[in-house]
Amino acid sequence: MGKFNDQLNPLFEKWIQISEKKHEMRDDTEGQNIIFTYDGLMEKPDSSIDVEECWQKADMRIMFLVKDQPSIYCDDSRLWLKDQLTDRPDDEKNKKLNREIKPKFIHNIANVFYGLSHADKEHEITFQSLNKEDVKKYFLTSPFAFVECKKQGGKTSISNSTLHHYLYDEDYKELLYQEIKILRPNIIVCTNNMIYQFVQEMYGMENLIKLNEPGHNSIRIFAEKEILILNSFHPSARISYMKFYDGVMDHYRAFLRSEFAEKYRYINK
């Protein structure tokens, strides 16, 4: 089996071909290129870190599923932390800000990534206990997957009807299924109610378990494959960092308190 991002590239080529047939938005190079976002395992600034190998060996493989990349340019979000520059305006500046986890979108993801990775029954990892330098270091050195459900670029917001179209279009739905299966996450953070519904349907509603503890409808357990599905606010939502963080971690803590956590190898490593 080839490396994860290498496996994704042929899938993306197929995705682009289908997007061309569906007359998706094109960039300003005389209409030659579909505006497309590549994603998967985000590369690290330190080139000695092999995220593919680290992901393969990781006990916990956390994926963030987001809506779409608001861009009029083709982009590769796997390189958002790297110095490989593109012809996008302010690219170098944006990458530096990302490495400092300055943008709210990135900072929210980094906080939750750290919290999920470090919490256990004895250590809740509250928002108040987060140390920004520790969060940043972990974000810049440890593997995670970042996937845009709508790959074809877009505007600064996306309507529910547009998102529904891209999630449930017969072609795009199968491609997104394939991408998730290639990456093989065991924790999926869905940043939208519709995405949460989509992932549940992907694994089969009948196969998923709800927590017995009331008030935790934003987490599902696929016990057969030891996969957790969590629902979240969008990382750019106009809410506090604490509300975003606890919006995920409150449900994860409930899972850690449950009888199901005892059976999960990556929890009890």
Side-chain angles (χ1 to χ4, degrees):
M1 179 180 292
K3 291 187 175 182
F4 296 96
N5 281 341
D6 288 344
Q7 290 184 69
L8 291 179
N9 289 330
L11 182 71
F12 294 153
E13 290 306 312
K14 182 178 179 182
W15 214 312
I16 291 170
Q17 290 171 10
I18 291 173
S19 297
E20 289 173 342
K21 292 179 181 178
K22 293 180 183 292
H23 305 290
E24 299 289 359
M25 290 176 59
R26 295 177 182 269
D27 62 22
D28 59 3
T29 57
E30 298 181 355
Q32 295 179 28
N33 302 313
I34 291 292
I35 300 171
F36 190 84
T37 301
Y38 299 80
D39 51 29
L41 301 180
M42 193 173 284
E43 297 285 341
K44 304 302 173 182
D46 184 346
S47 59
S48 69
I49 298 173
D50 187 338
V51 292
E52 306 263 357
E53 182 179 354
C54 293
W55 181 260
Q56 177 70 43
K57 294 178 178 178
D59 295 304
M60 190 177 288
R61 296 188 297 277
I62 300 172
M63 169 185 284
F64 294 88
L65 274 179
V66 295
K67 294 187 287 188
D68 78 326
Q69 167 66 0
S71 176
I72 59 173
Y73 303 94
C74 291
D75 196 12
D76 191 334
S77 62
R78 297 172 294 189
L79 304 178
W80 279 3
L81 305 176
K82 301 285 284 185
D83 279 327
Q84 289 102 320
L85 301 181
T86 69
D87 57 0
R88 293 183 60 188
D90 298 326
D91 195 38
E92 182 176 9
K93 176 184 175 182
N94 290 337
K95 288 172 182 286
K96 287 180 179 178
L97 291 173
N98 289 342
R99 289 194 290 269
E100 291 299 318
I101 63 172
K102 290 285 182 67
K104 185 176 185 180
F105 181 93
I106 293 291
H107 198 160
N108 273 326
I109 288 175
N111 283 345
V112 168
F113 179 46
Y114 184 91
L116 290 173
S117 301
H118 290 83
D120 56 35
K121 286 188 175 182
E122 286 71 41
H123 306 91
E124 286 193 349
I125 314 297
T126 63
F127 178 79
Q128 289 77 8
S129 72
L130 293 178
N131 177 285
K132 184 176 179 179
E133 289 305 309
D134 291 341
V135 169
K136 182 173 73 172
K137 181 179 179 180
Y138 193 75
F139 181 74
L140 296 180
T141 57
S142 301
F144 65 93
F146 177 88
V147 172
E148 302 274 8
C149 292
K150 176 180 176 287
K151 296 286 193 289
Q152 294 78 10
K155 301 179 181 178
T156 54
S157 64
I158 181 172
S159 68
N160 283 335
S161 59
T162 300
L163 179 60
H164 186 277
H165 166 73
Y166 283 94
L167 285 174
Y168 289 99
D169 174 275
E170 287 303 313
D171 295 313
Y172 293 145
K173 176 176 70 175
E174 291 303 318
L175 291 167
L176 186 54
Y177 281 176
Q178 289 180 50
E179 182 173 12
I180 295 170
K181 289 174 181 177
I182 287 171
L183 289 167
R184 296 191 291 114
N186 50 29
I187 296 183
I188 302 175
V189 180
C190 305
T191 61
N192 171 273
N193 291 335
M194 196 177 297
I195 297 171
Y196 184 51
Q197 179 77 13
F198 173 86
V199 174
Q200 290 181 73
E201 292 171 3
M202 172 183 168
Y203 288 112
M205 298 289 232
E206 68 280 5
N207 300 320
L208 304 180
I209 301 170
K210 298 180 182 180
L211 289 180
N212 293 325
E213 187 175 335
H216 294 286
N217 198 41
S218 290
I219 183 170
R220 293 290 184 272
I221 303 165
F222 185 20
E224 180 184 342
K225 299 290 185 181
E226 293 188 359
I227 295 172
L228 296 183
I229 306 166
L230 289 150
N231 195 19
S232 154
F233 297 104
H234 194 270
S236 60
R238 295 179 181 178
I239 57 175
S240 68
Y241 287 112
M242 183 171 69
K243 186 171 183 178
F244 181 86
Y245 182 79
D246 286 336
V248 177
M249 293 301 297
D250 183 51
H251 304 295
Y252 185 64
R253 295 182 194 115
F255 165 75
L256 292 175
R257 293 192 296 267
S258 73
E259 69 276 16
F260 304 108
E262 299 292 339
K263 303 174 184 178
Y264 274 55
R265 292 187 296 273
Y266 59 81
I267 301 297
N268 303 287
K269 52 183 182 295

